[in-house]
Amino acid sequence: MENVSLQTAEQICRDCRDIGERLEQPALVRLAKQAEAELQRASGLRVAFITGNLAGAAAALMEAFGIRALPEGMGVYQAVRSAKIVYTGGTEERSEGAEQLEQEGEPAQLSFTRRGELPESVEAELIFSREDFSEFDWKKELAQVDYAFLVVSALQMLSAPERELVEHVIMKYFGLARFSIVLSDTGMVNSPEAYEELQSRLNWYLNSIGGGKAYELETETLRPFITEELLRDGEELKMLAVAMTAKLCCEDTEEAVRGMKEEASADLAKLEESIAELGKREAQMKNRAELAAGDLRGEILGTIHYRASEAVRKLFAQLQENICATVERSEDVQQTKENIPRFMEMSLGQLGTELEKNINADAVRLEERLEERMHKDAGEFFQDIPWIPDAVSLEAAGAAIRTTVTLEEGATQTKVRKLSKALLIGTVPVLIFGSLPLAVGTLVGSQLVKKMSRNKIEAENREALRQAVQELCTGQEQEFQKALKQKLQETAESGGQRIRDAYREFVGAVMDELIREKERILQAREKEALIDRILSEELPRIKALLPAEQ
């Protein structure tokens, strides 16, 4: 892409913002304002190292700038969280918030200060993905970068996620003129022939995508490239970034306006018919929710409770038999009596492990049944409905879930399944069934069990001790069975409520989205003349200001 002046890029973004304001599209206005802010970014050069291979990126930062990626004492394998870390030069080493890297969660945003050879005019950043690079908003992240390196391992060069990042993110939102691949671990390639093959594959790949450079660590080429060439060409890199920002702002605007044009031509009568019909089916879904909750309760308090109860009965029977046999054989009755509480506590721990294993197996089976049932109910909810929403947003379990499904010819059932998976199912099975082993684990580790297993046995001879053991095992089994049933009842009640909530939120989210869709159509129709003028006159004029694609 050729350069465009900063003034021209600013004008493009202002024009796009003006379009968003006249069409009353807040999201489009925000995007244009964000692009304008990106154009005003500070003049320093920012270099990003993107990687799924933290060890390789750490080596690249050390080779390029003589700085540590992580705090002293923290190994690369301790970092279990995706993160964006910005490094700036300073007189002291600071790594505030580094402990977040050792905790699971959303990508961390950190700033570290490093002593080293990081020039004042350069900021370095590390974008580290523990997944498949999908957890970052790349359009936003790359807008703040002047040059990007993808650090890959020679032992697993260009995995599928890495290729997807290059071909669908870097090439689309950034451009190959500001991108290179950094190859780490070449010293671990086991033969000259394998190394030559590696080089050949890398060169072929770069040629196939139409550009890009490659650097190997430990060849003393990366540092000179950054500190000499990139600093020398810093202004040119920034102008390439300016051109890309203006281009993306224009593309976003055109996409949004064309979307409104499609909405303006939508069949409003069909949408209103769907809203009315789905409204009538709301009570039907409420009944289905009660049936699903009742089915769950029946399974938990029926099959699952029966199997768990049988396991408890058998263990206590075996426990009683083993202790009585030990008493019979024992030469020191008093010592045996003192050992019984500890033995019972160990046995109850084994019972907890066995119950958790069995309940997990039952939970998997029940989860599959419940998920299939909920999918089926969702399908019948939409049966013969002429308008199924393409996008539905839902706030559930503290997190926003969004799914966008494109309806292909004859793909209605697939669409319904995806909608129900995202909205109706969500995390419901995990919340319900994940709590079953927890309930049992809580029971086994409770004060009740500790008290039961440490009951003092009052007996002075072998026969009295056998009788005491029988009474103790019988009494403890009864208490344990009662507590187990109570825990399962609590799980059934909470699980049933989660199912009711899922059905209710599903219907509410679908109806809300259809109503919003109606509002969007009406708004688009009111502005259809303006939309046509923007598409036919204004956007072509704005696009003409952009540099021609090479």
Side-chain angles (χ1 to χ4, degrees):
M1 174 178 285
E2 297 177 358
N3 289 349
V4 62
S5 71
L6 178 60
Q7 292 77 10
T8 300
E10 289 174 335
Q11 184 61 53
I12 290 171
C13 293
R14 281 197 300 270
D15 289 347
C16 291
R17 171 162 54 87
D18 176 65
I19 288 173
E21 289 171 348
R22 283 184 288 142
L23 291 175
E24 298 181 65
Q25 296 294 303
L28 189 53
V29 173
R30 283 195 300 272
L31 284 172
K33 285 183 176 180
Q34 181 181 331
E36 290 179 81
E38 289 161 6
L39 293 175
Q40 301 304 320
R41 188 163 54 83
S43 59
L45 183 71
R46 178 170 286 193
V47 178
F49 292 85
I50 303 169
T51 192
N53 171 22
L54 186 52
L61 283 166
M62 180 58 69
E63 183 168 317
F65 303 117
I67 62 175
R68 290 194 310 274
L70 300 178
E72 188 173 5
M74 178 183 286
V76 294
Y77 297 107
Q78 291 175 256
V80 298
R81 186 176 191 167
S82 298
K84 172 185 172 182
I85 307 173
V86 177
Y87 303 90
T88 53
T91 57
E92 298 180 9
E93 294 269 314
R94 294 181 179 175
S95 304
E96 289 85 355
E99 66 279 357
Q100 296 179 44
L101 298 172
E102 300 181 84
Q103 305 161 3
E104 298 285 351
E106 294 296 314
Q109 302 281 330
L110 304 172
S111 295
F112 292 171
T113 303
R114 290 287 182 263
R115 290 195 306 268
E117 301 171 31
L118 190 63
E120 288 185 6
S121 58
V122 176
E123 272 190 349
E125 71 176 43
L126 168 65
I127 303 180
F128 167 53
S129 172
R130 292 291 299 182
E131 304 295 333
D132 56 1
F133 301 102
S134 62
E135 63 267 57
F136 290 97
D137 180 350
W138 288 107
K139 195 170 180 180
K140 177 182 176 182
E141 298 298 346
L142 292 174
Q144 304 171 34
V145 171
D146 297 306
Y147 202 92
F149 294 96
L150 176 63
V151 183
V152 302
S153 172
L155 303 179
Q156 190 184 1
M157 191 185 69
L158 289 170
S159 63
E162 289 169 342
R163 290 196 301 273
E164 185 170 345
L165 180 72
V166 172
E167 295 162 21
H168 299 289
V169 174
I170 297 294
M171 293 176 67
K172 181 177 181 181
Y173 298 135
F174 197 68
L176 295 175
R178 299 185 288 146
F179 169 74
S180 293
I181 289 175
V182 174
L183 208 57
S184 69
D185 304 324
T186 53
M188 300 174 69
V189 178
N190 56 20
S191 70
E193 293 78 11
Y195 178 76
E196 288 182 13
E197 172 65 19
L198 177 71
Q199 287 284 355
S200 176
R201 285 172 52 204
L202 182 56
N203 290 334
W204 177 89
Y205 180 74
L206 291 174
N207 288 333
S208 72
I209 62 174
K213 302 176 183 178
Y215 295 91
E216 291 181 31
L217 294 182
E218 301 181 7
T219 60
E220 299 184 358
T221 56
L222 178 61
R223 184 171 183 174
F225 172 69
I226 295 174
T227 58
E228 296 173 14
E229 291 187 44
L230 288 190
L231 285 177
R232 182 194 66 207
D233 300 334
E235 191 59 35
E236 182 179 349
L237 291 174
K238 286 201 167 294
M239 295 316 298
L240 286 171
V242 164
M244 181 59 74
T245 298
K247 175 177 179 288
L248 292 174
C249 185
C250 191
E251 288 177 353
D252 288 340
T253 301
E254 183 173 14
E255 181 181 354
V257 176
R258 291 195 182 281
M260 290 189 71
K261 177 62 178 175
E262 291 179 8
E263 288 172 344
S265 59
D267 189 337
L268 185 59
K270 185 183 290 186
L271 174 57
E272 290 174 334
E273 178 188 343
S274 299
I275 292 173
E277 181 57 34
L278 289 177
K280 296 175 185 176
R281 298 182 185 184
E282 189 169 351
Q284 196 177 82
M285 285 294 278
K286 185 176 180 180
N287 291 336
R288 290 179 181 273
E290 288 298 329
L291 290 172
D295 188 34
L296 176 77
R297 179 181 178 82
E299 283 288 326
I300 292 178
L301 298 184
T303 304
I304 291 179
H305 179 225
Y306 171 76
R307 293 183 182 179
S309 180
E310 277 295 289
V312 171
R313 184 188 64 77
K314 289 177 181 178
L315 180 128
F316 274 101
Q318 188 64 52
L319 182 61
Q320 179 178 320
E321 182 180 334
N322 291 344
I323 295 176
C324 287
T326 301
V327 170
E328 191 66 34
R329 295 191 304 268
S330 175
E331 295 180 358
D332 188 340
V333 174
Q334 187 62 31
Q335 184 62 47
T336 300
K337 182 177 72 172
E338 292 174 1
N339 289 337
I340 286 174
R342 185 168 58 87
F343 178 71
M344 293 195 72
E345 188 167 3
M346 292 173 56
S347 299
L348 288 170
Q350 294 171 359
L351 170 63
T353 302
E354 185 66 22
L355 285 178
E356 183 172 342
K357 177 182 174 183
N358 292 341
I359 287 177
N360 267 325
D362 286 334
V364 169
R365 174 184 53 80
L366 188 50
E367 178 180 346
E368 291 172 353
R369 275 187 53 192
L370 177 61
E371 184 169 344
E372 189 58 38
R373 177 180 193 143
M374 296 172 91
H375 280 313
K376 181 174 179 291
D377 288 344
E380 292 182 2
F381 179 65
F382 284 119
Q383 188 172 3
D384 299 325
I385 294 296
W387 191 300
I388 300 174
D390 281 325
V392 182
S393 301
L394 171 66
E395 295 279 342
I401 302 173
R402 182 172 179 82
T403 179
T404 301
V405 186
T406 302
L407 182 60
E408 304 293 343
E409 186 68 28
T412 301
Q413 187 58 34
T414 299
K415 183 174 184 178
V416 169
R417 287 188 69 83
K418 288 185 177 180
L419 285 171
S420 61
K421 180 66 176 176
L423 295 171
L424 192 64
I425 307 300
T427 57
V428 170
V430 175
L431 289 172
I432 296 170
F433 302 118
S435 66
L436 284 172
L438 177 62
V440 177
T442 303
L443 177 61
V444 172
S446 67
Q447 292 299 317
L448 166 67
V449 169
K450 292 176 182 177
K451 178 182 176 183
M452 286 164 52
S453 59
R454 292 170 184 165
N455 282 346
K456 189 174 174 123
I457 300 175
E458 301 291 346
E460 299 301 329
N461 57 59
R462 198 182 304 274
E463 184 56 38
L465 184 55
R466 276 200 304 268
Q467 183 64 32
V469 166
Q470 291 172 356
E471 292 175 358
L472 179 62
C473 285
T474 299
Q476 288 194 355
E477 181 192 349
Q478 290 173 351
E479 287 189 60
F480 197 97
Q481 293 280 22
K482 180 180 177 181
L484 174 64
K485 183 175 181 180
Q486 181 180 345
K487 286 291 181 183
L488 292 178
Q489 284 177 331
E490 292 170 0
T491 302
E493 290 299 323
S494 62
Q497 189 56 50
R498 288 191 181 107
I499 288 175
R500 295 183 191 95
D501 291 344
Y503 275 79
R504 176 177 49 78
E505 289 167 355
F506 172 75
V507 173
V510 169
M511 295 296 290
D512 288 348
E513 176 58 26
L514 289 177
I515 291 169
R516 283 193 294 269
E517 183 68 17
K518 179 180 176 180
E519 293 170 352
R520 287 193 293 266
I521 291 173
L522 292 172
Q523 183 186 37
R525 287 189 176 183
E526 287 178 1
K527 298 182 179 296
E528 192 165 10
L530 175 59
I531 291 169
D532 288 339
R533 187 169 69 251
I534 290 170
L535 289 173
S536 63
E537 299 175 15
E538 297 183 27
L539 278 173
R541 175 183 56 77
I542 295 171
K543 290 165 69 175
L545 299 175
L546 291 168
E549 295 282 351
Q550 292 183 335

